[in-house]
């Protein structure tokens, strides 16, 4: 580490101990390495890419350290760093948006984990959410017409009626150990539905 970088690292830590200075310097190096490839691919020379990556990495690390609960280099700081570095290494849009100036350092370090995930994982998560919404819609469409059994001693929570039908449904994953039995109650008088 050059003398100017050592002074910059010490100033960025706010007088923290030597261990924190070393951790933060390592974090800046990891962030710089993750950003350097994106800048080199953009046509910048190696020295320009390295100096620009160093400046951007310093801004990211300072924003990361200033984040809530991250004023120490343990716990949340390291967890956030471990999520951020792989996201910047990928050719996804996070690094491109940051390098292009669309996102500030503060915005990048505060992105939800879902936005830091690879595009394929984001697509899988969206598909899973759509399936869950579809299953929920099918669940809510289930009416008390046909099937089900009258639930003795159960009163409707909306109208107080005693004509309540219960439907027992297996919900959950593909395998039996992932499933759970859910009871859906449907009032035959007011069509109110609720679960147990």
């Amino acid at each position: 580490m050059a003398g100017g970088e050592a002074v910059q690292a010490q100033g960025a830590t706010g007088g923290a101990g030597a261990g924190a200075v070393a951790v933060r310097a390592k974090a800046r190096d990891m962030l710089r390495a993750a950003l350097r490839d994106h800048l080199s691919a953009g046509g910048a020379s190696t020295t320009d890419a390295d100096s620009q990556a160093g400046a951007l990495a310093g801004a990211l690390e300072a924003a990361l350290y200033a984040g809530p609960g991250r004023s120490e280099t343990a716990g949340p700081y390291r967890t956030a760093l471990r999520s951020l570095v792989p996201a910047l290494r990928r050719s996804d849009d996070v690094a491109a948006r940051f390098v292009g100036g669309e996102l500030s350092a503060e915005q990048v370090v505060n992105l939800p984990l879902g936005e830091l995930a690879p595009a394929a994982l984001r697509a899988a998560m969206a598909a899973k959410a759509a399936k869950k919404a579809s299953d929920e819609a099918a669940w809510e469409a289930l009416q008390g017409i046909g099937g089900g059994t009258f639930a003795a001693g159960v009163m409707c929570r909306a109208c107080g009626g005693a004509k309540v039908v219960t439907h027992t449904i297996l919900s959950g994953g593909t395998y039996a150990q992932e499933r759970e039995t859910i009871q859906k109650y449907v009032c035959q008088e007011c069509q109110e539905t609720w679960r147990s």
Side-chain angles (χ1 to χ4, degrees):
M1 184 183 309
E5 288 179 0
V7 171
Q8 179 186 5
Q10 187 175 12
T13 61
V21 171
V23 169
R24 292 187 68 191
K26 177 67 175 170
R28 279 190 295 279
D29 289 343
M30 292 167 61
L31 292 166
R32 178 186 304 140
L35 290 169
R36 186 180 306 125
D37 295 335
H38 294 286
L39 294 166
S40 296
S45 70
T46 306
T47 55
D48 290 342
D50 194 44
S51 64
Q52 190 177 2
L56 290 172
L60 272 176
E61 193 281 330
L64 183 66
Y65 190 75
R70 300 183 196 142
S71 60
E72 296 178 8
T73 56
Y77 176 86
R78 289 183 188 209
T79 302
L81 180 66
R82 287 181 186 129
S83 300
L84 189 58
V85 170
L88 293 173
R89 281 192 184 131
R90 286 189 302 275
S91 60
D92 282 20
D93 62 341
V94 175
R97 289 169 53 201
F98 175 58
V99 169
E102 184 181 330
L103 291 174
S104 69
E106 291 78 18
Q107 290 171 318
V108 171
V109 299
N110 292 315
L111 283 174
L113 288 177
E115 290 186 40
L116 293 176
L121 181 58
R122 286 195 308 263
M125 288 172 23
K128 187 175 182 178
K131 180 172 178 1
K132 183 176 181 178
S134 172
D135 290 349
E136 188 73 22
W139 169 270
E140 293 304 324
L142 177 66
Q143 294 296 315
I145 302 169
T149 57
F150 279 99
V154 177
M155 305 291 283
C156 176
R157 62 185 190 179
C159 71
K163 290 185 177 180
V164 176
V165 174
T166 181
H167 296 270
T168 303
I169 298 173
L170 275 178
S171 172
T174 307
Y175 303 104
Q177 66 267 23
E178 295 175 352
R179 294 184 179 197
E180 65 179 89
T181 302
I182 298 175
Q183 300 266 311
K184 179 177 182 181
Y185 297 95
V186 180
C187 177
Q188 297 298 297
E189 295 176 10
C190 70
Q191 297 301 314
E192 172 75 12
T193 62
W194 68 95
R195 303 176 191 186
S196 65

